Amino acid sequence: MVHREDPNGLIVITQLAHAWISGQLSRAWGNSEFGLVTPQTEVNFAAEQHDLGWLEWEREPTLNPKTGRPYTFMELPVSIHTHLWGLAGPMALVQGGRYAALLVSLHGSGLYTRRERKDGDEDAKLVREFIANSRAFEAEQTALLQDDKAYVPFLAPEVLARNRRLIAVWDFLSLLLCMNLKAPRPLERVPTANGETAITVAPLNGEGTHVSLAPWPFRESSLTLVCEGRRLPETFTDEHAMRQALCAAPPVTIKFELKPA
């Protein structure tokens, strides 16, 4: 879950709604400078469904007793976080197929590879187990794809690395938008047609709903994105009460307008 601070009270956005923004970014991505997305359908699916493992948790989110609010994705204990991420690849396999599932799994294991040395002993053990299980799943899907001529070109290390990095870029950009961007932020190592570059994302209004990007990576001259959240301004001491309030909370439509700097 993502928290979006708002003058009228906190808006909570599910991981899957945030991922929907990633999917919208992926489908609009690409021009002469930034190249094409290939294979487009599978990469678009992976971008949009990269948080698929969070589905059941988001239906009944748990309460963070320190804040009185639902846990954000950054606050959840590692034991729950790794469990949810471990579900994502296999769930994507059922719906989107092997290549999309491979990308979803690579995204999750890539995020955790950087955390392995930062956590305490028990958490580090959980992370190592998660990474080992993810790599076994990824190796299995890669082996199956290598027997499929339709996918062999997209298993080339440079193609796989590019698609993996694109999903990470869209994920981060979506988070910046959903969390109410207040100041310019860089997107590093963004794949282009011939290498990599950095994109500066800057807010154009105080709500963070209008932003500029430089350089511009999309096909059209502007881009509108949409997702929904729920307004949850109060805090709670009881998890059941929090869940009931969340179910009854009014939905909020959030639109983002992106344009070239």
Side-chain angles (χ1 to χ4, degrees):
M1 184 168 286
V2 178
H3 289 184
R4 179 181 178 84
E5 299 295 344
D6 184 87
N8 296 317
L10 178 74
I11 298 173
V12 295
I13 301 171
T14 69
Q15 291 297 116
L16 288 94
H18 136 70
W20 182 29
I21 291 285
S22 298
Q24 293 171 58
L25 291 167
S26 75
R27 285 191 291 274
W29 193 269
N31 53 33
S32 59
E33 181 178 356
F34 285 84
L36 301 175
V37 176
T38 56
Q40 186 168 13
T41 300
E42 290 86 342
V43 177
N44 292 163
F45 177 91
E48 188 169 89
Q49 300 294 334
H50 72 265
D51 279 338
L52 188 58
W54 292 77
L55 178 60
E56 288 303 314
W57 185 90
E58 289 285 2
R59 292 178 67 184
E60 293 187 320
T62 49
L63 177 67
N64 184 345
K66 294 181 179 179
T67 65
R69 295 169 163 182
Y71 275 105
T72 70
F73 73 100
M74 295 182 289
E75 298 166 346
L76 265 181
V78 170
S79 58
I80 300 175
H81 208 279
T82 51
H83 170 70
L84 298 176
W85 263 113
L87 299 174
M91 290 176 72
L93 179 63
V94 174
Q95 187 178 359
R98 296 159 297 171
Y99 194 80
L102 173 61
L103 290 176
V104 168
S105 183
L106 285 169
H107 179 66
S109 61
L111 292 174
Y112 261 101
T113 298
R114 298 193 295 273
R115 293 187 58 171
E116 189 171 2
R117 294 184 297 275
K118 298 180 181 179
D119 296 315
D121 290 345
E122 186 59 34
D123 285 350
K125 179 182 176 182
L126 291 170
V127 170
R128 287 193 295 270
E129 290 175 352
F130 165 74
I131 291 174
N133 291 335
S134 296
R135 287 175 176 163
F137 176 82
E138 291 153 15
E140 179 182 11
Q141 303 315 310
T142 300
L144 292 170
L145 288 162
Q146 285 173 339
D147 292 330
D148 190 331
K149 293 181 180 179
Y151 287 103
V152 168
F154 307 119
L155 294 174
E158 65 275 12
V159 177
L160 205 53
R162 171 184 167 82
N163 287 336
R164 183 178 183 175
R165 183 59 193 160
L166 281 172
I167 290 171
V169 167
W170 299 325
D171 179 31
F172 186 49
L173 177 53
S174 173
L175 287 173
L176 291 180
L177 296 171
C178 289
M179 295 172 72
N180 198 346
L181 182 67
K182 294 295 187 182
R185 291 287 299 271
L187 298 175
E188 304 286 357
R189 296 178 43 238
V190 180
T192 64
N194 300 305
E196 292 182 342
T197 191
I199 293 177
T200 299
V201 187
L204 299 176
N205 66 354
E207 291 77 38
T209 54
H210 290 68
V211 303
S212 67
L213 283 79
W216 181 251
F218 301 106
R219 290 188 299 276
E220 302 298 329
S221 58
S222 64
L223 180 63
T224 300
L225 309 168
V226 64
C227 76
E228 286 192 1
R230 288 183 178 267
R231 196 173 296 283
L232 195 69
E234 65 266 47
T235 58
F236 303 86
T237 57
D238 178 77
E239 186 170 84
H240 179 68
M242 180 270 291
R243 289 174 174 171
Q244 285 188 318
L246 185 59
C247 287
V252 180
T253 300
I254 309 170
K255 286 190 176 182
F256 303 99
E257 301 293 337
L258 280 57
K259 58 183 60 179

